[in-house]
Amino acid sequence: MIGPEDAIEIPRGVSEQIDYECELGVVIGTPGFRIPRGAALDHVFGYTIVNDVTARDIQRGDRQWLRGKSFNTFCPLGPVIVSGDEFNPTKAAVRLRVNGELRQDSSTADLIFDVPFLIEYISAIFPLEAGDLISTGTPGG
């Protein structure tokens, strides 16, 4: 992870197809394991914005996501975390601009999996700790 103004290092000679993915970030505040959907939002510290940078050619070649999303500097986020009482994760705009040009414009209402589902699903296999970040997935664009 890097800050919102930090430079993304493009792995030249390794990947030729770097892509952006604007996503809602969920920051865990209260640890938990096997968290039921109904209690999921009680574990959220706040929300931020994430650019889930992806090397598409690596992702396609590997036929899975790990390496294509794991290059150094490939996860800028922030600059703020908004608390859960100030933010509705079910109806928020998700927009991304590249050099001023709007490239993604969607809403968290269009997410395939909502925040409570993601917390329940992920925490079913391993404990979530304070400070963990869940990236929700990207809209089209």
Side-chain angles (χ1 to χ4, degrees), residues 29-97:
T30 304
F33 185 47
R34 298 187 179 129
I35 301 166
R37 180 183 178 87
L41 295 181
D42 296 337
H43 292 263
V44 174
F45 173 78
Y47 301 90
T48 192
I49 199 73
V50 174
N51 185 352
D52 185 16
V53 179
T54 304
R56 290 279 180 234
D57 47 355
I58 301 296
Q59 180 182 0
R60 284 190 193 101
D62 289 355
R63 289 185 265 167
Q64 55 85 29
W65 297 347
L66 181 66
R67 200 166 62 114
K69 293 179 175 285
S70 299
F71 284 88
N72 190 39
T73 74
F74 265 27
C75 188
L77 59 114
V80 298
I81 298 173
V82 179
S83 67
D85 61 344
E86 298 178 271
F87 182 80
N88 181 349
T90 64
K91 299 178 185 176
V94 179
R95 294 188 186 103
L96 179 123
R97 286 182 170 78

Side-chain angles (χ1 to χ4, degrees), residues 91-127:
K91 299 178 185 176
V94 179
R95 294 188 186 103
L96 179 123
R97 286 182 170 78
V98 176
N99 298 325
E101 178 187 340
L102 185 64
R103 299 279 182 96
Q104 290 182 279
D105 187 6
S106 191
S107 168
T108 56
D110 296 328
L111 289 172
I112 295 170
F113 302 111
D114 65 11
V115 171
F117 173 87
L118 291 171
I119 292 172
E120 180 181 58
Y121 182 80
I122 294 167
S123 73
I125 60 169
F126 56 84

